[in-house]
Amino acid sequence: MIEFVWLIPAIMFLAALVNGLGVRRLGKTAGHIAWMAMALCCVISFVVLFQVIGLSHDPHWAGTKILLWHWFDIPNFFGPNRTFSVEMAFHVDQLTTVFLCFVSFIGTLVFIYATGYMKEKHGGHLELDPGYARFFAFVCLFAASMFTLVLGANLAVMFIGWEGVGLCSYLLIGYYFDKPFSENLSCADAGRKAFVVNRIGDAGLLIGIGLLFWGLGTLDFAQINDVLISGKLADGSPIPDSFKYGGLLITAATLCMFFGATGKSAQIPLFTWLPDAMAGPTPVSALIHAATMVTAGVYMVARMNVAYFLSPGTMAVVAIIGALTAFAAATMGLTQRGIKKALAYSTVSQLGYMFLGLGVGAMAGGIFHVFTHAFFKGCLFLAAGSVIHALHHEEDMFKMGGLKKYMPKTWLAYAMATLAIAGFPLTSGFFSKDEILYSAWLSAGDGVPVLWIIGVITAVMTAIYMGRTLFLTFHGKERLDDHAREHVHESPSNMTMPILVLGGLGLIVGFLNVPHALTFGVLPEAKFHHFLAPVVDRGAEHVAALRGFETDHATGMVPSGPLIVAGNVGEDLLPTAQHHHAELLLAISSAALGILGLGIAWWFFGAGLTERSRKLARTFQPLWKLSFHRWWWDDFYNTVFRDGTMLKARAVWKTDVAVVDGAVVGIAEGCRSIGRGLRRIQNGQVQTYGLVMFIGICMFLLYFAFGLNNFLSQSLDETQGRKVLQMEPSKRSLQGTEVQIEEPAREIVLKD
Amino acid sequence: MLLTLIIFIPLVLGLLACAVVPARQMKYAALGILVLDLLLSVYAAAFAFDWAGATQTVEIFGTSVETAFQLRAHVAWPLLSQFEISYSVGLDHLSMLMVLLTTVLGIFGVLCSFKAIEKREKEFYFHLLLLQTGILATFSALDLFVFYMSWELMVVPLYFLIGIWGSKDRLYATMKFVIFTLAGSLMMLLAILWMYYNGAQTYSYEKMLTLGMGEQWRFAVWPFLGLMAAFLIKVPLWPLHTWLPDAHTEAPTAGSVILAGVLLKTGVYGILRFAIPLFPYAAVALAPLFTWLAVIAIIYGAMCAMVQKDMKRLVAYSSVSHMGFIILGVFCFNAQALSGAILQMINHGISTGGLFLAVGMIYERRHTRLMSEFGGLAARVPIFAALTMVMVLSSVGLPGLNGFVGEFPILVGSMSNAPILAAAREPNSIYAILRQTNYTWLVASLAVTGVILGAVYLLIMYQKVFFGKLDKQENKELLDLNGREVFQLAVLSLAALFIGLFPQTLLKPINHTSRHLLEVVSVPLSFGQENEPMRYEGTEEHGDEHDATGEHNHASAPASDERAGES
C-alpha cells in the first residue's frame, strides 16, 4: 500500500474537484462525497500505519520514497556542480504516518460533523447552507494540501502543501465573504490577514530553503539529513564549515525556516492571524485552526530535526519563542468573551508548548503534544460549534450559561476535553505536557529552569481559562437572550457522535506514550516515542555522537536531546534513576497545579457570572485590560505595519507620479518649451536672418584669420602632455628619466 | 519558408481579409488567420524544429558560419547586400518558445475583442494582425537591420490600437508610449550603427557571433547601454516604466493582453538575444546595477500597485514588479535564476494576460474599472470569481501553479551564486561571509518581500471586487461569463496548472538556452578571477624591490622639489 500512498491526496483532490465543478447541482451529496473520501483516506492511512509498524522493526529502513515525476531540473552548467533537481515525490516514514493517521481520522469526524453543522433550521425544516458544496470543495482541497504537506519528500513539495493549506484557510476564513466578523474586520479581511501574515512567514521559509540549497545542494529531506550527518555533499566534497555544528549559516537557515513556522503555527511574532481566523465556520476552526494546519510548523521543525539540532542557537530561540507564546497567549485567553476566541488563544498557547518541547530537544514530546492536542482541541472546537449552532450563532459566553441541561452530550464531551487540556492526571494532556515540561526542566542543567517555570505558570493558567469557558458556558445561571432560548437544543447525532468520540479519545490516547517514571512496571513505556525515534531523534543522536557522549542509557533512547541543546552535558547529567525520581515529582506537581487551576476557575466561575468573578476583574483592572485587549498586539501591528506599509506605498506612488513620471513629463515639457523658444528665431524677418548670417561669417573669419585653430591644437597638446605625466608616476624608479623626456616637450609647446 | 509564412500570414491574409470580408465578419476572419498561424507554429515546433539543438554550417556573405538557429531563411537584398543587410530569420529554443507564446496569446487578443470592439472593426483587427507580424518578426529576426525594423513595426499598430480604441485619456497614453519607445529605439539604432562601424561590418547577427565580436568589444559600454535602453524601456524596468501604467490603463483589453503578455517580453528577449551575447563583458560589469534596479522595481511596483483604485492600473504596476523578478533572474548569471527568469517570461504572459482578460470582462459589463464600484460579485458571478481566483493565485506565485515554478528558481538561484559558496567555505566568521557574498544574498532577501507584497495587492483587489456585500444595483444584474469567456480563462487556468505541475516540459528547452547564454558570459565572469593572480604577481615584484624603491624615493625627493621650484 505504501507505493500507493499518493492516492490519499489524489482522492481528496478529486473530491474537491467534483464538489467544485458540481457546486450548484450537488446539494446534500457534496457532504457525503467529502466525508466518504476522507474516510477512505483514513482507512488507507491506517493500512499504511500497520505496514510502517512492520517495516520499522528493520533498523535500516529509513522511510520509503515514492517518486511521481521530476518537477524541476536545472543543472548548473558552470561553477559548482550541483543540479537544482526537485522531484515530485512523496516520502513515508513514521512521522508522516502519524500525521496521516490523525489528520485523516479527525478529518473524517469533522467532515461528518460538518454535514450536520452546515445546515440551518429555517421555519421548521433544515436547509443547507447556500455555500454547502463550496464549503466541502474547500475542505477537501485543504485535506489534499495537508496530506501533501506531510507526505512531501522534499522542501519544495512540502511547500506546495504549506501554501495550499494557507490558501484553503484563506478561502474558508472568508467563507462568509459578505458578513462582518468583528467591529472593524470583515470575514474577508480576516481571511486576507491570515494569508498575508502567513505569506510573511513563507518569505522567511523561502530564504531558508534557498540557504539550505546553496549550502547543501539538495532540498530532499533524506538527503539533507544524510549530507548533514556525513558532512559530505552529493559529489563527495565536504560541506561548508558554516553548515557544521553551530555554524553561522545553518543557524541562519534554520532561523529563517522557523520564522516560516511562526507564521503557520501562530507563534510570536506572527500569531495575530489565528484568533481572527475564527471568522470561518466552526468545523474549519476545529480542523484547520486547531487540529491540523497550525501544526505544520511543528511538523517542519521535527522533520528537519537534524538541521535544528546542529544549530543550538536556533533551538534556544525556538524554545524561548515557544515558552513566551505559551505564556502570552494564555494570559490573553483568560478574559475573552467569545468562546471561540478563548479557544483560539488556547490553541496559540498550546502550540507554544509544542515549540517549547521542540526547542529543548524533545522532538517526540512536541509531536506527541500535537497528537493529543488534535483530539482534545478538535473536540473543544466542535463542541463549541455545537453550542453556537444551537444558539443560532451566539458566540459570547456571557450570554450563555446553564446549557448543561439542554445539551448533556455536548457538555460531556466538552468537560472531558477540558480535563485533558488542563492536564488532569492520566488524561492525554497530562502525559504530553508532562514530557515537555520534564524536558524543559532538564534543559536548564544546573541553572534556574526558567522555561520550566514559565511552562508551569502557563499550565495553571490553561486550567483556569479552560475551566472558565466550561463553567461560563454550561454551568451557573442561564443568561440566554430570547432568540437563543427559543432555539436551544441538543445537536443531532451526526454532530454529537464525533465530539464524544474525540473527547473520549482525548482522555485515553495519552497512554500511548507513558513516561518511564509513570509506567510502574505495568504500562508499556513510551511507545509513541519509540515509534518516532528513528526519525525525530536522529539529530540528537548525531549531535550526541559528534560531541562524544553516550547515547545509550536505561531507556534505550536519546532523551538526552535537551541536555545536548543545553550544551552542558556531562556524564553525571545523563538521565539516571535519580532523574526518573525527579520526573515523577515533576509529574505530580504539574498535575496538582492543573487541578489547582481548575479549582480556581470553579471558585470564581463555578456558579457562572457572579459578583465574585466581576470583582476579580475590577480588582485587577489594569491586568484585565492588558489581557482583554490582547496586550494591544494587534493594534500595534495594525498601526505600524499595516497602516505604515500602506502609507509608505502611497508615498511611493506619489513619488512615482511626481518624481519619476514627473521627470519624464518634464523632459517632454522641456523639449516643447525649447521648441517654442526656437520658433521665435524663425520669425520671417529678412533683417534678422541677415544679422545672424553676418555674425556667423564673422566668427568663421575670426577662426581662420587669428589662428584660433592653432590655439585649439596647442591646448590639446598641453593636455596630452599632462596625461603622460599622470600616467607614469607609479613607476617611481623611472621618474628621473621621465622628467627629462617631459621637459623638452613642454619647451616646444611654449616656443610655438 | 515555414517561419516566413508564420511571420507574414497575419499581415498578408489580414490585408486580404480587409479587402474581401465585410466588417462584421472581420473578427472571425482574424480568428481564423490567427488559428492558422498557431497551427503552423505548433507544426513548426512539433515537427520542423529540432529540440535536441543540432548546429549547422551555413554561408553568410562569404563567411561560413556555424549557427544554432533553425528554420532559417536568408535572402540577400540586391541593393543592401553591400552593407551586408539581408532578410534573415531563424529560431532557437528561446525564440521558438516566444513565437508559440505570441501565436497563442494572439488568439486571446481576438477572442476578448469580439464584443468589446464595435467601431472600425476592420482596422482594429488589421492592426492586431499587423502587431502580431511585428512581434513574430522581432522574435525571429537574425539581422540587426531587420530586427530594428520589426521593433519599430510593433509600435505602429499599438499606437493606433490605444489611440483609437482606448478609453478616456488614450491620446496622452499613446503619445507617451510612442515617444518613450522611440527614444529607446533611437539609442538602439545608434548602438547598431556603432557596431557596424566598429569592427562588425555586417548586420548579420550570426556572423557577428562567429567573428567573436564579444571579445573585441570588451570595453564597449556605451553601445551596450544603448541597446539596453531600448530593451529596458520595453521591459519596463524602473525608472523607465512610467509609460506602462498609462498605456495599459487606456488600451483596449486586447491591447493590454498583447502588451503585457508578449510585448514586454520582447525587451527581455532583446537582452537575452543581443545585448548579453554581443557585449558579455559590459553585461557582467554592469550586472549589479541591473540587479539593484530590478529589486527596486520589484518592491516599488508592488508598493504602487497596493494603492491603486483602478484595477488595470493595479495589474500594470504588478507587471512592473513581476518583470523586475525576470530582470533579476537574468542578471544573476546563474543557471537556476536564468532558467527561472525565462520560464517566468512565459508565466507572466499567462497570468497577467489572464488578469487583463478578467478586468476586460468586468469592464465590458460595467464600463468602469474602479474597484470601489464593485463588491460581493462572488455571489452573483461565481464562475467568473473562481476563474479569476486561479489567475490571481498564479500571479501571487502559489506553488502548484505556474508563477511559483518561475519565482522559486529565481530566488534560489540568486542566492546560490558562486562567490557566496566560496565564502561559505571560508572560516566561520560573519565578516568573511558578508565580504564575499557580494550583493546577491541581500538582493534575494529583498526580492522575497515582493512575494509578500504580491499577495497583498492582488488579494486586496480580489476582496474589493468579489467579496463584501453585493450592494450596488448595477452589480446585482451582472451576467456570469459566457462560453467564449469561460473558454479564455479556463484555457489559461489549465495552462497555469499544467506549467505549475510539469514545468520540466518547458524547462528542458529553456535550460538549453540558459546553457548557451552562460557559456557566453562564463568567460567575462571568470575574467576578474583570472586576473587576480596576475595582479598579485605585480605586487610581489613591487614588494621585492621595496627596499630599493625606498632608497630611490629618498634620492629622488630633492629632485622633485627642484622641479617644483623651477616650474
Side-chain angles (χ1 to χ4, degrees):
Chain A
M1 203 67 214
I2 286 186
E3 297 75 43
F4 295 103
V5 77
W6 54 268
L7 274 173
I8 297 179
I11 288 171
M12 292 321 291
F13 190 75
L14 198 67
L17 201 66
V18 170
N19 278 346
L21 291 179
V23 79
R24 288 199 183 141
R25 266 149 282 157
L26 280 174
K28 230 166 97 181
T29 332
H32 296 312
I33 292 174
W35 80 257
M36 283 191 217
M38 198 63 172
L40 185 59
C41 289
C42 187
V43 172
I44 299 176
S45 302
F46 275 92
V47 173
V48 171
L49 173 70
F50 289 119
Q51 271 183 319
V52 169
I53 289 175
L55 280 168
S56 42
H57 293 308
D58 174 9
H60 297 295
W61 183 76
T64 303
K65 186 159 127 182
I66 302 105
L67 175 66
L68 300 178
W69 66 83
H70 285 274
W71 195 15
F72 305 84
D73 251 327
I74 308 178
N76 233 7
F77 308 110
F78 302 92
N81 178 28
R82 59 193 63 186
T83 300
F84 182 62
S85 167
V86 180
E87 291 161 338
M88 191 62 92
F90 290 153
H91 180 260
V92 179
D93 62 7
Q94 290 89 342
L95 183 62
T96 302
T97 328
V98 167
F99 269 82
L100 278 184
C101 287
F102 84 75
V103 170
S104 61
F105 179 73
I106 294 176
T108 310
L109 290 178
V110 172
F111 281 22
I112 293 173
Y113 172 94
T115 57
Y117 184 86
M118 298 307 285
K119 287 174 191 160
E120 279 307 330
K121 224 179 208 146
H122 282 294
H125 63 96
L126 281 172
E127 236 176 58
L128 295 181
D129 190 275
Y132 193 74
R134 178 164 59 97
F135 172 84
F136 279 104
F138 289 164
V139 286
C140 286
L141 188 62
F142 163 76
S145 307
M146 187 69 202
F147 290 136
T148 311
L149 194 158
V150 296
L151 278 168
N154 56 51
L155 280 162
V157 177
M158 188 198 80
F159 197 67
I160 300 183
W162 186 274
E163 289 276 292
V165 290
L167 166 70
C168 296
S169 164
Y170 162 74
L171 292 170
L172 286 164
I173 296 169
Y175 175 75
Y176 301 114
F177 57 79
D178 50 353
K179 298 213 170 62
F181 170 54
S182 62
E183 64 267 27
N184 50 7
L185 212 64
S186 69
C187 291
D189 282 333
R192 185 158 53 88
K193 182 176 176 183
F195 195 84
V196 171
V197 172
N198 266 299
R199 202 76 208 204
I200 294 171
D202 295 345
L205 183 62
L206 273 178
I207 296 179
I209 292 177
L211 284 173
L212 272 187
F213 175 73
W214 138 36
L216 308 178
T218 176
L219 296 180
D220 191 278
F221 289 125
Q223 280 178 27
I224 288 176
N225 285 351
D226 288 346
V227 166
L228 283 174
I229 288 174
S230 69
K232 282 203 173 64
L233 297 177
D235 58 1
S237 55
I239 60 171
D241 276 347
S242 47
F243 277 86
K244 290 185 177 146
Y245 179 79
L248 187 71
L249 288 181
I250 186 106
T251 309
T254 45
L255 267 181
C256 285
M257 293 176 71
F258 176 63
F259 187 64
T262 60
K264 194 107 300 180
S265 291
Q267 297 295 294
I268 291 171
L270 297 179
F271 71 96
T272 53
W273 66 273
L274 187 64
D276 288 329
M278 298 306 136
T282 308
V284 170
S285 311
L287 182 65
I288 300 186
H289 303 124
T292 57
M293 175 187 114
V294 289
T295 60
V298 183
Y299 167 80
M300 191 264 290
V301 174
R303 172 59 74 200
M304 302 286 302
N305 67 80
V306 177
Y308 276 84
F309 266 107
L310 283 172
S311 41
T314 309
M315 287 294 266
V317 171
V318 173
I320 292 167
I321 291 278
L324 285 182
T325 310
F327 176 77
T331 62
M332 297 175 196
L334 282 172
T335 55
Q336 298 305 315
R337 285 179 66 155
I339 182 167
K340 275 171 82 179
K341 267 259 159 92
L343 290 178
Y345 281 105
S346 150
T347 304
V348 176
S349 173
Q350 297 301 311
L351 287 164
Y353 264 119
M354 295 167 201
F355 280 104
L356 171 61
L358 298 181
V360 296
M363 294 284 169
I367 296 293
F368 188 55
H369 198 52
V370 167
F371 177 72
T372 59
H373 178 258
F375 286 95
F376 52 70
K377 189 50 71 61
C379 171
L380 286 171
F381 263 108
L382 293 184
S386 169
V387 171
I388 292 166
H389 191 249
L391 301 183
H392 261 224
H393 296 282
E394 182 57 73
E395 297 195 8
D396 189 347
M397 285 188 289
F398 287 13
K399 295 181 183 164
M400 295 178 183
L403 293 178
K404 185 179 159 191
K405 66 173 177 238
Y406 299 111
M407 317 179 71
K409 288 181 191 162
T410 306
W411 169 79
L412 179 64
Y414 198 95
M416 287 195 287
T418 304
L419 286 183
I421 194 174
F424 196 81
L426 303 184
T427 59
S428 62
F430 166 75
F431 287 117
S432 58
K433 233 183 259 184
D434 180 58
E435 187 171 351
I436 290 171
L437 287 176
Y438 174 54
S439 301
W441 169 275
L442 282 184
S443 75
D446 294 331
V448 184
V450 182
L451 293 175
W452 178 79
I453 293 172
I454 297 178
V456 164
I457 295 174
T458 309
V460 180
M461 285 198 287
T462 308
I464 296 177
Y465 67 69
M466 284 317 301
R468 174 175 172 270
T469 60
L470 174 69
F471 300 138
L472 280 182
T473 310
F474 292 99
H475 295 253
K477 262 213 311 260
E478 284 179 40
R479 299 178 298 277
L480 306 176
D481 56 22
D482 297 338
H483 177 71
R485 196 186 306 274
E486 253 171 56
H487 286 91
V488 62
H489 60 277
E490 177 61 291
S491 301
S493 60
N494 56 0
M495 287 169 73
T496 50
M497 185 276 291
I499 51 180
L500 284 169
V501 171
L502 282 178
L505 285 174
L507 286 182
I508 58 171
V509 287
F511 287 99
L512 282 176
N513 200 25
V514 182
H516 183 72
L518 296 173
T519 50
F520 305 113
V522 193
L523 295 166
E525 183 204 321
K527 283 204 86 84
F528 193 86
H529 192 164
H530 277 299
F531 180 61
L532 284 181
V535 185
V536 297
D537 281 349
R538 242 184 124 180
E541 265 165 32
H542 172 57
V543 175
L546 199 70
R547 305 190 60 204
F549 19 84
E550 296 289 320
T551 56
D552 199 11
H553 61 82
T555 58
M557 287 188 305
V558 200
S560 43
L563 304 167
I564 294 163
V565 174
N568 52 4
V569 183
E571 277 299 311
D572 52 321
L573 264 173
L574 283 176
T576 55
Q578 193 193 346
H579 280 90
H580 292 304
H581 202 60
E583 188 176 6
L584 189 61
L585 265 177
L586 287 176
I588 291 170
S589 64
S590 69
L593 287 169
I595 296 173
L596 172 75
L598 284 177
I600 295 174
W602 176 256
W603 172 254
F604 284 110
F605 300 101
L609 207 60
T610 57
E611 193 47 40
R612 194 185 286 164
S613 50
R614 291 208 180 88
K615 199 174 159 196
L616 179 72
R618 271 201 303 279
T619 325
F620 298 100
Q621 183 102 30
L623 282 180
W624 180 87
K625 266 194 175 158
L626 182 72
S627 160
F628 187 73
H629 293 289
R630 295 157 285 173
W631 300 26
W632 288 279
W633 210 298
D634 272 84
D635 306 74
F636 174 72
Y637 278 3
N638 284 347
T639 332
V640 174
F641 294 113
R642 191 191 62 188
D643 301 347
T645 309
M646 283 319 256
L647 220 63
K648 263 182 253 162
R650 206 154 285 132
V652 167
W653 184 50
K654 288 267 150 68
T655 319
D656 191 49
V657 173
V659 180
V660 182
D661 197 32
V664 173
V665 175
I667 290 172
E669 282 299 322
C671 291
R672 193 179 288 178
S673 53
I674 288 173
R676 219 174 275 138
L678 288 179
R679 198 167 58 181
R680 283 208 201 108
I681 294 173
Q682 199 160 10
N683 55 5
Q685 284 184 340
V686 184
Q687 293 95 318
T688 324
Y689 294 165
L691 182 68
V692 173
M693 220 150 103
F694 179 71
I695 294 172
I697 289 169
C698 286
M699 284 173 77
F700 264 109
L701 284 176
L702 275 171
Y703 180 75
F704 287 110
F706 297 94
L708 255 170
N709 60 343
N710 278 0
F711 177 72
L712 283 177
S713 59
Q714 183 182 321
S715 54
L716 205 70
D717 286 349
E718 239 178 12
T719 42
Q720 275 170 354
R722 206 166 293 135
K723 241 182 211 162
V724 176
L725 256 181
Q726 275 169 356
M727 276 167 71
E728 299 300 331
S730 62
K731 293 183 183 170
R732 285 176 190 148
S733 53
L734 294 175
Q735 242 171 13
T737 45
E738 198 177 281
V739 173
Q740 283 170 0
I741 298 167
E742 191 55 37
E743 299 256 307
R746 206 195 274 171
E747 277 170 20
I748 293 162
V749 173
L750 286 172
K751 271 171 199 164
D752 264 359
Chain B
M1 192 58 201
L2 179 59
L3 181 57
T4 308
L5 267 181
I6 293 174
I7 296 172
F8 288 103
I9 271 183
L11 173 62
V12 175
L13 290 189
L15 274 175
L16 201 68
C18 278
V20 289
V21 181
R24 292 270 107 200
Q25 310 300 320
M26 187 64 189
K27 52 190 168 196
Y28 302 111
L31 185 64
I33 292 166
L34 287 183
V35 169
L36 175 66
D37 211 26
L38 173 67
L39 290 178
L40 276 178
S41 64
V42 169
Y43 171 81
F47 301 107
F49 192 82
D50 174 23
W51 292 96
T55 56
Q56 48 176 330
T57 311
V58 292
E59 188 159 311
I60 298 172
F61 295 120
T63 315
S64 111
V65 166
E66 194 178 348
T67 176
F69 291 94
Q70 306 178 32
L71 304 169
R72 292 176 70 263
H74 179 80
V75 181
W77 283 328
L79 275 174
L80 295 172
S81 58
Q82 52 178 317
F83 302 111
E84 302 209 354
I85 293 173
S86 59
Y87 167 75
S88 176
V89 291
L91 298 178
D92 68 350
H93 291 72
L94 175 65
S95 35
M96 185 73 236
L97 289 176
M98 289 297 125
V99 164
L100 282 175
L101 180 71
T102 312
T103 48
V104 169
L105 281 180
I107 289 180
F108 290 92
V110 173
L111 277 179
C112 70
S113 312
F114 264 35
K115 246 166 92 192
I117 302 302
E118 282 163 341
K119 60 170 185 180
R120 303 169 81 172
E121 280 176 78
K122 261 192 187 180
E123 287 154 274
F124 178 83
Y125 289 106
F126 175 70
H127 283 304
L128 214 53
L129 291 170
L130 181 62
L131 182 60
Q132 201 73 1
T133 293
I135 297 169
L136 289 170
T138 307
F139 282 139
S140 31
L142 290 180
D143 182 285
L144 285 172
F145 193 79
V146 175
F147 177 73
Y148 180 74
M149 288 202 337
S150 21
W151 185 266
E152 296 291 301
L153 184 61
M154 292 190 299
V155 180
V156 180
L158 201 61
Y159 170 71
F160 288 114
L161 283 177
I162 300 175
I164 299 177
W165 294 273
S167 43
K168 216 175 70 214
D169 281 335
R170 55 181 184 266
L171 288 180
Y172 172 75
T174 198
M175 276 313 284
K176 198 170 181 178
F177 161 69
V178 167
I179 293 176
F180 229 120
T181 318
L182 284 185
S185 311
L186 178 67
M187 293 187 226
M188 179 164 87
L189 182 64
L190 289 178
I192 291 175
L193 291 176
W194 183 94
M195 287 190 261
Y196 182 82
Y197 289 111
N198 282 274
Q201 296 297 329
T202 178
Y203 287 97
S204 163
Y205 173 65
E206 288 163 300
K207 197 174 162 186
M208 280 186 193
L209 284 187
T210 316
L211 294 175
M213 300 318 290
E215 281 296 317
Q216 197 177 323
W217 292 331
R218 206 182 268 187
F219 301 110
V221 173
W222 289 111
F224 170 71
L225 283 178
L227 287 182
M228 288 301 283
F231 299 146
L232 290 182
I233 285 176
K234 208 57 146 225
V235 167
L237 189 67
W238 186 90
L240 305 172
H241 66 278
T242 54
W243 62 271
L244 186 77
D246 285 321
H248 265 313
T249 316
E250 303 306 328
T253 307
S256 294
V257 171
I258 303 289
L259 182 59
V262 197
L263 252 141
L264 305 189
K265 311 304 177 305
T266 58
V268 187
Y269 172 81
I271 295 172
L272 295 173
R273 166 72 66 238
F274 298 106
I276 295 177
L278 288 177
F279 300 98
Y281 286 86
V284 168
L286 293 176
L289 171 70
F290 296 119
T291 27
W292 277 112
L293 287 181
V295 168
I296 294 177
I298 291 170
I299 298 173
Y300 185 99
M303 289 284 227
C304 288
M306 271 164 67
V307 292
Q308 297 306 316
K309 299 188 175 89
D310 184 310
M311 280 186 264
K312 252 188 163 178
R313 208 167 262 273
L314 189 151
V315 181
Y317 273 114
S318 88
S319 265
V320 174
S321 181
H322 283 131
M323 295 308 285
F325 262 109
I326 296 177
I327 295 295
L328 171 64
V330 168
F331 279 98
C332 279
F333 294 128
N334 162 288
Q336 283 94 42
L338 191 52
S339 290
I342 299 173
L343 182 57
Q344 192 69 349
M345 283 163 75
I346 295 165
N347 291 339
H348 179 261
I350 292 173
S351 49
T352 308
L355 283 177
F356 275 122
L357 284 177
V359 177
M361 288 168 192
I362 279 197
Y363 183 74
E364 241 176 76
R365 286 166 170 70
R366 282 286 322 276
H367 294 281
T368 176
R369 293 177 307 251
L370 289 180
M371 287 183 269
S372 51
E373 285 292 311
F374 300 98
L377 295 198
R380 178 70 204 167
V381 286
I383 300 176
F384 185 36
L387 287 171
T388 311
M389 188 84 220
V390 179
M391 287 292 109
V392 164
L393 292 174
S394 125
S395 194
V396 164
L398 193 86
L401 293 175
N402 59 352
F404 176 71
V405 292
E407 270 174 19
F408 188 52
I410 293 178
L411 289 174
V412 169
S414 62
M415 274 189 221
S416 49
N417 259 12
I420 316 175
L421 269 172
R425 285 169 196 286
E426 281 227 330
N428 193 11
S429 78
I430 193 152
Y431 176 71
I433 289 163
L434 281 183
R435 188 161 49 90
Q436 295 205 22
T437 41
N438 213 343
Y439 48 87
T440 39
W441 199 90
L442 189 59
V443 162
S445 309
L446 284 173
V448 170
T449 51
V451 175
I452 303 172
L453 296 175
V456 175
Y457 60 74
L458 282 168
L459 291 186
I460 287 180
M461 176 179 93
Y462 194 82
Q463 184 182 342
K464 281 189 181 159
V465 175
F466 290 103
F467 291 159
K469 273 227 172 332
L470 186 64
D471 45 9
K472 295 232 166 38
Q473 193 51 44
E474 303 94 312
N475 294 337
K476 287 184 186 156
E477 287 148 16
L478 284 185
L479 292 177
D480 210 339
L481 303 189
N482 61 28
R484 176 175 55 86
E485 291 166 329
V486 170
F487 171 79
Q488 294 171 43
L489 289 184
V491 167
L492 289 181
S493 302
L494 286 178
L497 188 68
F498 179 79
I499 297 179
L501 290 177
F502 306 97
Q504 200 54 33
T505 41
L506 289 175
L507 274 175
K508 248 189 204 156
I510 286 172
N511 282 341
H512 207 270
T513 305
S514 35
R515 192 198 162 86
H516 271 284
L517 263 171
L518 287 174
E519 229 164 75
V520 169
V521 292
S522 66
V523 180
L525 268 182
S526 53
F527 184 71
Q529 288 157 15
E530 279 171 10
N531 246 15
E532 201 86 357
M534 283 171 67
R535 212 183 295 151
Y536 266 110
E537 279 169 17
T539 34
E540 269 167 33
E541 275 176 23
H542 199 245
D544 287 343
E545 290 178 345
H546 189 262
D547 293 337
T549 340
E551 283 169 27
H552 269 288
N553 257 346
H554 284 293
S556 58
S560 56
D561 281 352
E562 278 172 28
R563 236 185 328 145
E566 276 171 26
S567 56

